[in-house]
Amino acid sequence: MDIDQARTFLAITANGSFLEAAKQLHLTQSTVSARIQRLEDELGTRLFVRNRAGTSLTPAGRRFFEYAKRLVLTADQARDDAGLPERYRASLRIGGRIALWEGFLPQWVGWMRRRANDVVIRSEIGFEEDLMRRLIEGSLDIGLMYTPSHSPGLIVEHLFDETLVLVSSRPDDKGPGEDYIYVEWGPGFYAQHAQSYPDIEGPAQLVDIGWLGIQLVLTNGGSCFLPARMAASFIAAGRLFRVAGSPEYVLPAYVVFPRTTDSPVLEQALQGLRELAGQERERAASG
């Protein structure tokens, strides 16, 4: 058994497909299949069931999952930590949605630097699918997102609730107009939005991140829903305006992390996230 076999196993598990795993790993499908065949031969059991719906784990595959993740995570941590300068004791990899890097996660990085300046922090931006895949593979220690999925070996913990508000480039807007930009905040937002605006036509502009919505509104004019936390500085500067009488929507933010880990700093990192999330909840309650 080698690291490449375990990494390939986790890529298939995360993507639910030999083909998608091959694309992600930049390998041929035959190479992926050959690696899994060798791994199954070494373990003496089948790890996957393949059918029209995709690929799923057998009971033996589910039992092997934690071992594979630990093997890959240990190898990655060994590579990262072995190359660290002597004054650093560990590294931590954290990824999150770009909206959560607006204020919240930079504050957490500052929190960590003050309390654990001997830890290297690798910060990344990603969408839920990629963040979850990397958490499953063990190539990410912590993920922050709005619509996590559940997977064996991972803990999904609610941190705080964002409040989505309608903002516009014009102070006198009454609601979404012709230049309204629909930001894809997930299925919960879609359902609430459809209930509030049942007669609205499909918007001509759609974006997948709030940051892009901001850029389009500031450049071309228009309106979009943003987390109040993210919009606050633009409103204070007079560049965006809250649309009076518009609905507000709740968008929960979650942290996802492995149930078991060899990381010596994961618990401290989570402590910082929980502390700052508590401050967010207090601000929301007082505001």
Side-chain angles (χ1 to χ4, degrees):
M1 188 188 307
D2 60 32
I3 300 299
D4 287 338
Q5 289 175 340
R7 202 180 299 278
T8 302
F9 168 85
L10 291 171
I12 297 168
T13 303
N15 289 278
S17 161
F18 277 60
L19 178 59
E20 291 302 317
K23 290 178 182 178
Q24 178 205 315
L25 296 170
H26 305 290
L27 300 170
T28 63
Q29 190 172 353
S30 60
T31 299
V32 168
S33 296
R35 284 183 180 179
I36 296 303
Q37 182 62 59
R38 288 196 300 273
L39 180 59
E40 290 178 331
D41 289 345
E42 291 176 19
L43 294 173
T45 186
R46 289 186 64 193
L47 299 173
F48 293 103
V49 176
R50 302 169 71 172
N51 51 45
R52 292 181 181 178
T55 303
S56 59
L57 291 173
T58 64
R62 288 193 292 272
R63 290 191 293 270
F64 178 68
F65 175 80
E66 283 299 324
Y67 294 100
K69 191 164 67 170
R70 201 173 307 150
L71 181 63
V72 170
L73 183 59
T74 300
D76 287 345
Q77 286 179 336
R79 184 189 63 245
D80 291 344
D81 293 349
L84 293 177
E86 287 188 7
R87 71 189 189 94
Y88 296 111
R89 64 186 170 97
S91 63
L92 188 75
R93 295 160 297 181
I94 184 167
R97 286 289 299 259
I98 191 170
L100 292 165
W101 280 109
E102 183 71 33
F104 181 74
L105 278 172
Q107 289 180 46
W108 170 83
V109 172
W111 188 97
M112 283 292 292
R113 297 300 299 150
R114 290 189 296 273
R115 292 163 176 79
N117 61 6
D118 57 352
V119 174
V120 172
I121 300 172
R122 304 174 187 272
S123 305
E124 303 176 20
I125 291 171
F127 287 101
E128 276 80 356
E129 182 178 356
D130 182 54
L131 295 171
M132 289 300 304
R133 174 181 59 77
R134 295 195 54 205
L135 284 161
I136 292 171
E137 293 172 353
S139 59
L140 195 67
D141 297 303
I142 300 174
L144 279 87
M145 62 198 82
Y146 296 122
T147 55
S149 53
H150 291 267
S151 177
L154 295 178
I155 293 176
V156 176
E157 180 180 321
H158 176 252
L159 280 178
F160 64 94
D161 290 333
E162 300 271 29
T163 300
L164 294 176
V165 297
L166 184 61
V167 296
S168 173
S169 57
R170 299 171 292 267
D172 55 352
D173 266 8
K174 303 302 182 185
E178 289 293 323
D179 51 7
Y180 171 63
I181 299 167
Y182 180 87
V183 184
E184 296 173 338
W185 289 114
F189 171 71
Y190 174 84
Q192 295 176 87
H193 187 277
Q195 187 174 13
S196 299
Y197 302 106
D199 300 323
I200 194 172
E201 293 184 357
Q205 300 181 82
L206 298 92
V207 298
D208 57 359
I209 56 174
W211 177 86
L212 184 52
I214 291 175
Q215 304 312 307
L216 294 175
V217 168
L218 293 177
T219 302
N220 304 316
S223 61
C224 68
F225 276 93
L226 295 175
R229 178 182 53 79
M230 192 177 188
S233 62
F234 295 95
I235 293 172
R239 303 183 70 192
L240 293 176
F241 304 90
R242 285 281 298 268
V243 177
S246 59
E248 298 181 353
Y249 306 126
V250 172
L251 181 66
Y254 299 89
V255 60
V256 185
F257 54 94
R259 189 175 300 276
T260 57
T261 179
D262 295 327
S263 171
V265 294
L266 179 66
E267 191 52 45
Q268 185 176 22
L270 293 172
Q271 177 190 345
L273 290 169
R274 291 164 182 150
E275 183 177 310
L276 293 173
Q279 295 174 15
E280 289 291 336
R281 292 193 298 269
E282 290 175 4
R283 275 193 289 269
S286 61

